[in-house]
Amino acid sequence: MRLLDTTALRNGTLHLSYGAFNYPYFYQRTAGLRTPIGFLPEVWKIFTKQLEYHQYPYEDSSSAVCDGILLPVQEGQTLTTAGAYSPTVGRIGMFRQSAVTYYTSFNFYEADRIPDEQTSALTFFTVFSIPALFLLILAYVIASLLHFLVESLRNSNDNAAVKRHPLVDGLRFVSHIVFAVGVFLVIYYHSAGFRGNSVLFANTVHTSFVDLVKSLHDGSRLLMTKSATTIRSDSLHALVGNRTYQPDVVEADQTQLVQKLCDNPNLVAMMEVKAVYSMSMVERPCQLSKISIPQPWTSLERFDTQFPQTYFMSWKHTRKRTEEAIDQVLLRIFQQDMIESFWTNRYLVSMKNKPSIKPIKKSADGFLPMSLTRLQILFYFTGPGWLLSIIVFFMELSPRITTQFMRYLHYRAVIKI
């Protein structure tokens, strides 16, 4: 208690200000419960068990850097804000600054505008790409035609008692083996790549940031933030142009903000990345998708970038040793590597179905159909098989041609005699 030398400590009670709850770092588990919970209130319980939280509207501000939550801090009515703030050049000069409480980033999020479609690609069944599939069919037709010609000629030679070359049967047997190996490879490739029982989940609509800016400019999409002062004027102008000079929808309560985002697909929320945890608190949850900003983008450099959150205290109404005492607690107990892994999980309503941001899904989960290039190894076997079949065909044909030619020479010689 004696370490906190501040006018915000009155009659043994430490006074803190806040604008809205910040689940899971600072919130009320049950409506009407006066004492908030979360790892941020735990910081102050180390100093005193008597805490009093005062809620103020964001809009009651004395300047652009001192909103309605920081104003009572500046005036010494409260020690600091229950939820940490982003350090800016103006705030650093106006307030004392503590060590980092946690790191965060502000991003743009939307609810899935159209549910996922379940589809199965044709190549999941065929495995082979369409050109490769036609090539296989052509290869089969050629092999069947060669087999038909060889067998027809062989039967004809047998009926005509034509003498067959000794190598014909051996080459014919080898060609059959080569053809069987080719068929085995086709079956092997197909069984290895078959995904006929797989379902492809594809998000049918995913908004790019360029499309988002266009829709915000023409008013077909609306921008929602936690307060009118959350976003700077130059950033707001880069997003909505001259259409409006403040966010279209302002919702200080983080849980209600997420609920509105789920209920209205035309809304786009600018919020902290951890705000997605509030999905476990809403009545009608949905899946959120992050809209990434292609950097660099003028006036939006601070978005989609990690930056610290700190406590601000009055220069006039708070002494240096108070700042040092708070820094010791933050650096010793609330270390950064413990915020996400321990303190955040500790105050989640439920670890079951822990919410997360939906990643951009790939169209086929890395599946690639068998292309002509990958199929060429098959023709290292079928090519020689075709060649052997052609050789067998001509070897079956040659005795008939040779016999006819010899008869022709014989009769010609007899006629001359």
Side-chain angles (χ1 to χ4, degrees), residues 241-388:
N242 296 323
R243 183 176 62 83
T244 181
Y245 296 100
Q246 62 180 8
D248 298 293
V249 180
V250 174
E251 178 53 67
D253 187 277
Q254 184 172 285
T255 303
Q256 290 300 316
L257 183 145
V258 173
Q259 184 65 80
K260 288 183 178 181
L261 188 61
C262 290
D263 293 342
N264 188 350
N266 291 326
L267 285 178
V268 176
M270 188 210 74
M271 60 187 187
E272 291 185 64
V273 63
K274 64 179 177 56
V276 68
Y277 290 123
S278 299
M279 192 63 70
S280 59
M281 306 279 285
V282 302
E283 296 180 359
R284 298 174 299 280
C286 65
Q287 183 67 60
L288 299 182
S289 295
K290 173 185 171 183
I291 305 175
S292 299
I293 304 176
Q295 296 292 354
W297 194 289
T298 305
S299 301
L300 299 176
E301 295 85 359
R302 286 178 58 84
F303 291 93
D304 206 1
T305 302
Q306 291 285 330
F307 56 90
Q309 298 286 281
T310 63
Y311 288 122
F312 290 105
M313 294 158 281
S314 171
W315 282 105
K316 181 179 179 181
H317 302 282
T318 302
R319 298 294 177 259
K320 177 67 175 178
R321 65 177 183 176
T322 299
E323 176 187 341
E324 294 173 348
I326 294 173
D327 288 349
Q328 289 181 13
V329 171
L330 292 174
L331 295 175
R332 291 181 180 179
I333 302 178
F334 300 94
Q335 300 175 6
Q336 291 305 308
D337 57 350
M338 295 289 290
I339 299 299
E340 188 67 26
S341 61
F342 175 74
W343 291 108
T344 299
N345 292 338
R346 180 181 180 182
Y347 289 102
L348 289 177
V349 173
S350 173
M351 286 296 294
K352 185 179 180 181
N353 300 324
K354 183 178 178 179
S356 62
I357 293 297
K358 180 181 180 181
I360 301 175
K361 295 179 180 178
K362 296 181 180 180
S363 58
D365 193 25
F367 173 78
L368 292 175
M370 182 68 69
S371 62
L372 291 176
T373 303
R374 297 167 63 195
L375 192 64
Q376 63 185 2
I377 188 175
L378 176 64
F379 291 93
Y380 293 155
F381 295 91
T382 56
W386 290 345
L387 180 61
L388 288 175

Side-chain angles (χ1 to χ4, degrees), residues 183-252:
V183 173
F184 170 77
L185 287 177
V186 172
I187 295 174
Y188 172 79
Y189 283 144
H190 188 272
S191 60
F194 181 75
R195 292 192 177 187
N197 57 346
S198 300
V199 177
L200 176 64
F201 291 88
N203 191 356
T204 55
V205 176
H206 182 76
T207 306
S208 67
F209 189 74
V210 175
D211 292 336
L212 172 62
V213 172
K214 291 179 180 178
S215 59
L216 288 175
H217 272 68
D218 61 27
S220 57
R221 302 291 295 273
L222 302 177
L223 179 65
M224 179 170 58
T225 62
K226 290 189 69 173
S227 76
T229 60
T230 301
I231 185 169
R232 298 182 309 186
S233 58
D234 59 334
S235 300
L236 182 62
H237 183 268
L239 291 168
V240 302
N242 296 323
R243 183 176 62 83
T244 181
Y245 296 100
Q246 62 180 8
D248 298 293
V249 180
V250 174
E251 178 53 67

